Amino acid sequence: MPTPFRRTRVLSILALAAGLLLTAPVTAAQAAVGSHAAKPTAQAANVHACTYRSTVGFTCDYYYGTATISEGSSNAAAVREIQDIINQHTDYPVLLSVDGSFGPNTLTAVEWLQRQHHIAGGADGIVGSHTWEYLRR
């Protein structure tokens, strides 16, 4: 017959093992959820609610104009407007960082948009009057 010490030790080991088995999946799930929650997506971190305004057309409220914008542009507000509209209201498959920098990723997105939607002027990567017209409607 087991001694009280041995029985207590066995029960403690079983309880510890059961506790580890029960908490390990929860801990792994919490870690997985925590890793997603700690890193917000580019879209969540940089999104303005885009709306339609009768005087401007579709806007994300960074910029209301239609100046010609191209790679390397210093008009950060206009570039943010372009990036956010592409993210929210086109079927472009890659999420752009709404950072106001018209770099290679934004250039690729603009060229894709112009090509996919047959925007007049062709896929030149320059956001001129025809591309703004498409983005604003």
Side-chain angles (χ1 to χ4, degrees), residues 82 86 89-92 108-119 131 134-135:
I82 293 161
I86 289 172
H89 296 283
T90 72
D91 49 352
Y92 187 61
T108 300
V110 169
E111 290 172 337
W112 175 90
L113 180 77
Q114 293 168 329
R115 190 172 38 261
Q116 287 295 116
H117 297 282
H118 309 288
I119 296 173
T131 305
Y134 181 84
L135 289 171

Side-chain angles (χ1 to χ4, degrees), residues 9 19 22 33 41 48 53 80 82 96 100 103 107 111 113 122:
R9 186 171 178 196
L22 291 175
V33 169
T41 64
H48 279 182
R53 298 185 189 281
R80 280 188 190 94
I82 293 161
L96 293 173
L107 175 65
E111 290 172 337
L113 180 77

